Amino acid sequence: DGRRMLKAYSGFLVRHACALASLLFASAWVSGGLLLLLGRTHFQNYGAFELLVRGAPAVDEMDLANAALKAADAWAAGSRARPRTVLSSLDSAVVLVYSAGGEPLLTPERLQAICEVDNVLLGTDGYDLLCYDGALPIPGLASRSSMSGRSCSLQLTSPTAFFYVNWQLVLAIEKQLRWLRRVSPFARVVEPPPSVSRELLLATSAGFERGSHTRSCPLLPQEYVEARAAQLLELAATGGTASANASSPSDPVARTVREQLSPLVDASAATRGHVSQASSVTSFGEPLD
């Protein structure tokens, strides 16, 4: 009986081969038309979830991911179209925490190591697609990549930015900075430490490497580091005014200085007499999509 049924089935296929082929061809066209009508002419980024029914949690999550990818800007090489002149919120920042376990963190050797670690982030491919690129009172202190043509503004909340300063440029416009310190937190942060000679400041001048977002990281002199560290403690406490109390509403610039430098000074630094833990905060520019 089984052989008879198989023989009959084979004969049916042979006799109606053309009709069956036409039916399969028509079915393929109908299926294609339905996919086109439903907007499913290509597979999306669903992977193993592609054939799951709509409404399944895994498919809903992938729908959200696909919608975000579709809405994202195209990052063309060398493009300057994306505005990055507004700082993003802290939840879109990279925070690096440096600790010396109770010992002084701000030493020449440790600052050099911190500078080199920060350079890993600053030198990452595509960093200048996201970095903050807002206005500074001294445009020359921003970094610019000769490869991409994009620039990134200097951010103050970093031990590297506080100690590795382009003093040659700062001293060249010292008079203008004295006036700007009334309205600009930046001008107060780059104010030269009074106990360090002009010659030593020029010898320790260290800015961004030419055509790059990374800094040069030389070993800084001990005298300079100690003077700048004392200046950091004072600025974090007073914001550049005579007393901590003077930095409340009457001096909003001082309040901003304290906010920007507070991550560089741990809570016990004033009592201990030295900084043992500091954070480097790299905020990006909006929008990030």
Side-chain angles (χ1 to χ4, degrees):
D1 291 338
R3 292 178 184 175
R4 192 177 302 131
M5 290 180 62
L6 180 59
K7 187 176 181 180
Y9 179 67
S10 301
F12 175 81
L13 292 178
V14 171
R15 288 193 302 272
H16 302 283
C18 292
L20 290 172
S22 299
L23 181 61
L24 290 174
F25 186 72
S27 299
W29 274 98
V30 171
S31 299
L34 287 173
L35 289 174
L36 182 63
L37 184 63
L38 297 174
R40 298 297 303 274
T41 55
H42 64 280
F43 285 116
Q44 301 184 52
N45 186 26
Y46 288 99
F49 304 122
E50 177 64 34
L51 300 179
L52 292 179
V53 295
R54 294 285 183 173
V59 177
D60 289 341
E61 291 176 6
M62 193 58 71
D63 281 338
L64 293 173
N66 281 324
L69 289 172
K70 188 180 295 183
D73 294 339
W75 291 353
S79 171
R80 301 260 316 160
R82 300 178 65 252
R84 295 172 286 119
T85 57
V86 177
L87 277 175
S88 64
S89 57
L90 280 179
D91 57 359
S92 299
V94 174
V95 181
L96 302 175
V97 180
Y98 301 100
S99 177
E103 298 181 359
L105 175 67
L106 305 179
T107 65
E109 295 78 13
R110 285 172 174 159
L111 284 170
Q112 186 178 45
I114 291 172
C115 178
E116 292 169 351
V117 172
D118 282 352
N119 272 348
V120 174
L121 172 61
L122 300 177
T124 301
D125 289 342
Y127 165 73
D128 54 17
L129 286 166
L130 302 172
C131 69
Y132 172 58
D133 189 19
L136 282 177
I138 312 174
L141 291 180
S143 63
R144 183 175 179 84
S145 169
S146 57
M147 296 283 290
S148 67
R150 289 183 288 267
S151 59
C152 295
S153 295
L154 174 66
Q155 297 188 43
L156 302 180
T157 309
S158 162
T160 304
F162 190 84
F163 284 86
Y164 286 90
V165 179
N166 187 345
W167 291 113
Q168 184 174 1
L169 179 58
V170 169
L171 292 174
I173 56 172
E174 191 173 5
K175 291 182 179 179
Q176 293 89 327
L177 285 175
R178 285 202 195 99
W179 181 86
L180 281 172
R181 76 183 309 278
R182 293 178 295 177
V183 295
S184 169
F186 179 83
R188 297 190 187 187
V189 171
V190 298
E191 191 170 13
S195 62
V196 177
S197 67
R198 189 180 186 90
E199 291 73 17
L200 182 56
L201 287 176
L202 290 173
T204 60
S205 182
F208 291 102
E209 295 177 327
R210 187 177 182 85
S212 172
H213 299 301
T214 58
R215 292 183 176 88
S216 58
C217 300
L219 190 66
L220 300 172
Q222 181 70 32
E223 177 186 351
Y224 166 78
V225 170
E226 290 178 356
R228 194 71 171 140
Q231 191 179 23
L232 172 62
L233 289 175
E234 180 183 354
L235 284 171
T238 69
T241 56
S243 67
N245 292 333
S247 62
S248 49
S250 59
D251 190 354
V253 175
R255 186 170 64 253
T256 302
V257 170
R258 296 178 66 189
E259 291 172 353
Q260 291 182 331
L261 296 185
S262 60
L264 309 187
V265 179
D266 57 280
S268 304
T271 305
R272 195 190 303 114
H274 63 259
V275 173
S276 179
Q277 180 173 302
S279 299
S280 176
V281 181
T282 302
S283 297
F284 297 112
E286 293 183 343
L288 292 182
D289 54 5

